[in-house]
Amino acid sequence: MNGAGAGGDGPLVYQRWKGNNVFVLQGRFIFGPDARSLYVTMFLIIAPASIFCLFVAKELMNNFSYGLGLPVMISAVVFTAYDLSLLLLTSGRDPGIIPRNAHPPEPEGLDGNAEVGSNQTPPMRLPRVKDVVVNGITVKTKYCDTCMLYRPPRCSHCSICNNCVERFDHHCPWVGQCIGLRNYRFFYMFVFSTTLLCLYVFGFCWVYIVKIRNSEQITIWKAMAKTPASIALLVYTFIAVWFVGGLSVFHLYLMSTNQTTYENFRYRYDQRANPYNRGVVENIKDIFFSAIPASKNNFRARVPVPQEQGLRPRPTNGFMSPNMGRAVGDIEMGRKPVAWDEPRMAADIGDLGAGLGNLLEDKDGRFRSASPDLSRDALAIGGLDDQGSSVMNPGRTSWGVEAGR
């Protein structure tokens, strides 16, 4: 199964996946690298639900008249199973990963700062950003060096999963997966259903306490003392509902204004126009009543034979990616990049070459014979000419080699 071969004997796509994802059941489920956090999330849901069924709902079955106790138990079990299924749909599916390119896109122009010689190919530099018009508003799309593509609008590269994700919202550690175009709907349904489950348990715990008080004619405090499980659940659900309930309200606001969490924290549409906002009703319909796009990845397909055989990449003719030749900050986190000081770097290289020339030449202008392999021609090839200055070959720079990987 893992060996490369012709026809259908090659490895599957998920077996050669370059991201940090974890695959289960032979590529049928895809999780993030922190998928183990799912065990914690499931425990935080199953444990209180089990305590409620054993110590509260079971007692209510005996105390409720008109047969209302059994539906309380069944509803709790079904609601918990529904909540867990939404968790799996959120964390176990492709969130909208854009497949990587095998090669960078073709450069559209020449780098005007390069000196072109008779036998040299000028380096080409892709623009770092491109402008795309969305609903009459210009939106900048960035180039991703890792995936070697221009990200579509609202796409971002997740540093945890190491993938570009369409309509990237955030990476949720509680579900161990990116939240994007194909699972945002299920993420909100999971958060909202968890909020309702907390309110359900919280409400019926109070119902059970009131039942005890009425049946035994005691104070509410003495009734609470008779059911410590209810007290524990009341405290737990009260704390949890502030977290998941607040998250539900926040994402309801994001959906009504057609924003993502990433956009809300980074771009601040309250200071600029939001090109994606089409009104509350249309925004909500886009999330819940539109068709979910098919995945762009077939994880269980065979890897193409030429790709598996590792054919040599196409020549790039001195191609330079948008970020080659300059120090790049963390674009996703908004850190300011440090500018590349080319004149200063050229001066430093020239000083270094002059120092080497003075060190190696004797009074007659010849090189010393300390190393038999060190000659004037060797230094010229390595980057120093007769005067010890730097000779830069734009068509054969290390940046061009790196970009052509």
Side-chain angles (χ1 to χ4, degrees), residues 47-82:
S50 302
I51 294 174
F52 174 79
C53 292
L54 293 176
F55 298 100
V56 178
K58 184 178 179 181
E59 297 298 328
L60 287 174
M61 290 175 58
N62 301 326
N63 298 329
F64 256 115
S65 58
Y66 306 107
L68 295 178
L70 184 60
V72 173
M73 170 74 78
I74 296 177
S75 299
V77 174
V78 172
F79 213 154
T80 303
Y82 171 72

Side-chain angles (χ1 to χ4, degrees), residues 4 7 23 36 56 70 81 112 150 173 193 226 277 324 338 357 403:
F23 293 89
R36 292 184 178 180
V56 178
L70 184 60
Y150 282 97
S193 64
K226 288 182 174 293
N277 189 0
M324 294 297 180
V338 179

Side-chain angles (χ1 to χ4, degrees), residues 108-127:
E108 298 178 355
L110 302 179
D111 191 344
N113 296 328
E115 296 182 0
V116 182
S118 57
N119 297 325
Q120 297 174 352
T121 302
M124 300 180 182
R125 185 189 299 277
L126 288 171

Side-chain angles (χ1 to χ4, degrees), residues 15-87:
Q15 295 172 327
R16 294 294 184 266
W17 190 250
K18 295 182 179 180
N20 299 331
N21 301 94
V22 176
F23 293 89
V24 179
L25 296 180
Q26 297 182 346
R28 290 178 173 85
F29 293 94
I30 175 174
F31 298 92
D34 49 352
R36 292 184 178 180
S37 60
L38 278 175
Y39 295 114
V40 178
T41 304
M42 295 175 65
F43 175 79
L44 294 176
I45 297 174
I46 296 175
S50 302
I51 294 174
F52 174 79
C53 292
L54 293 176
F55 298 100
V56 178
K58 184 178 179 181
E59 297 298 328
L60 287 174
M61 290 175 58
N62 301 326
N63 298 329
F64 256 115
S65 58
Y66 306 107
L68 295 178
L70 184 60
V72 173
M73 170 74 78
I74 296 177
S75 299
V77 174
V78 172
F79 213 154
T80 303
Y82 171 72
D83 197 36
L84 293 175
S85 64
L86 290 175
L87 174 61

Side-chain angles (χ1 to χ4, degrees), residues 13 17-19 21 30 94-102 141-142 144 146-158 161-168 178 180-182 293-299:
V13 170
W17 190 250
K18 295 182 179 180
N21 301 94
I30 175 174
D94 177 6
I97 300 173
I98 299 179
R100 303 186 183 196
N101 285 335
T141 59
K142 300 179 181 178
C144 179
T146 302
C147 300
M148 292 187 290
L149 52 83
Y150 282 97
R151 306 168 189 166
R154 315 194 86 177
C155 173
S156 184
H157 191 91
C158 176
C161 294
N162 197 22
N163 298 312
C164 278
V165 180
E166 289 187 280
R167 200 187 183 277
F168 178 78
C178 289
L181 177 66
R182 301 189 67 251
S295 174
K296 296 182 178 180
N297 303 278
N298 186 0
F299 301 110

Side-chain angles (χ1 to χ4, degrees), residues 78-403:
V78 172
F79 213 154
T80 303
Y82 171 72
D83 197 36
L84 293 175
S85 64
L86 290 175
L87 174 61
L88 182 61
L89 286 173
T90 303
S91 60
R93 67 187 288 123
D94 177 6
I97 300 173
I98 299 179
R100 303 186 183 196
N101 285 335
H103 306 283
E106 291 289 346
E108 298 178 355
L110 302 179
D111 191 344
N113 296 328
E115 296 182 0
V116 182
S118 57
N119 297 325
Q120 297 174 352
T121 302
M124 300 180 182
R125 185 189 299 277
L126 288 171
R128 183 171 175 268
V129 296
K130 282 187 176 182
D131 293 336
V132 177
V133 178
V134 179
N135 295 327
I137 300 176
T138 302
V139 177
K140 294 186 179 297
T141 59
K142 300 179 181 178
Y143 181 82
C144 179
D145 286 303
T146 302
C147 300
M148 292 187 290
L149 52 83
Y150 282 97
R151 306 168 189 166
R154 315 194 86 177
C155 173
S156 184
H157 191 91
C158 176
S159 59
I160 298 176
C161 294
N162 197 22
N163 298 312
C164 278
V165 180
E166 289 187 280
R167 200 187 183 277
F168 178 78
D169 190 89
H170 68 288
H171 183 94
C172 182
W174 295 101
V175 303
Q177 181 63 283
C178 289
I179 307 302
L181 177 66
R182 301 189 67 251
N183 65 347
Y184 181 81
R185 174 187 305 178
F186 301 108
F187 169 76
Y188 183 80
M189 293 172 64
F190 164 69
V191 173
F192 185 70
S193 64
T194 304
T195 303
L196 295 180
L197 182 59
C198 289
L199 295 175
Y200 183 87
V201 173
F202 185 86
F204 277 101
C205 284
W206 274 115
V207 170
Y208 182 49
I209 292 173
V210 172
K211 280 287 184 179
I212 295 176
R213 184 197 64 177
N214 295 338
S215 63
E216 300 185 13
Q217 297 297 319
I218 55 179
T219 63
I220 193 70
W221 301 109
K222 291 183 179 180
M224 293 173 64
K226 288 182 174 293
T227 172
S230 297
I231 301 302
L233 290 174
L234 286 173
V235 174
Y236 178 84
T237 54
F238 178 80
I239 296 174
V241 78
W242 283 102
F243 174 73
V244 292
L247 199 59
S248 299
V249 173
F250 174 67
H251 279 278
L252 182 62
Y253 160 73
L254 293 180
M255 288 188 298
S256 63
T257 57
N258 207 334
Q259 299 183 59
T260 65
T261 302
Y262 179 78
E263 292 169 348
N264 181 263
F265 281 94
R266 181 177 176 87
Y267 296 117
R268 298 293 184 184
Y269 283 135
D270 53 353
Q271 300 176 4
R272 67 175 75 179
N274 183 357
Y276 310 104
N277 189 0
R278 300 192 298 164
V280 176
V281 176
E282 293 297 325
N283 294 338
I284 298 296
K285 287 172 61 177
D286 285 343
I287 298 298
F288 293 106
F289 301 102
S290 62
I292 298 178
S295 174
K296 296 182 178 180
N297 303 278
N298 186 0
F299 301 110
R300 305 187 73 246
R302 298 290 176 180
V303 177
V305 175
Q307 179 178 348
E308 177 60 22
Q309 290 178 348
L311 296 182
R312 300 176 64 181
R314 67 187 181 193
T316 58
N317 295 327
F319 163 75
M320 299 174 71
S321 75
N323 296 322
M324 294 297 180
R326 59 170 60 90
V328 181
D330 189 345
I331 297 176
E332 302 305 329
M333 299 305 296
R335 298 175 184 171
K336 184 177 180 181
V338 179
W340 176 274
D341 193 348
E342 294 183 356
R344 180 178 178 182
M345 181 59 67
D348 292 342
I349 295 176
D351 293 342
L352 177 60
L356 288 175
N358 294 333
L359 178 63
L360 296 175
E361 291 187 358
D362 58 12
K363 295 181 180 179
D364 297 332
R366 298 181 179 179
F367 283 82
R368 296 176 183 176
S369 58
S371 175
D373 296 330
L374 187 59
S375 65
R376 189 179 303 274
D377 293 337
L379 286 179
I381 295 176
L384 299 179
D385 60 6
D386 294 345
Q387 287 75 28
S389 59
S390 175
V391 177
M392 301 298 292
N393 187 343
R396 302 181 60 86
T397 61
S398 62
W399 295 335
V401 175
E402 294 292 332

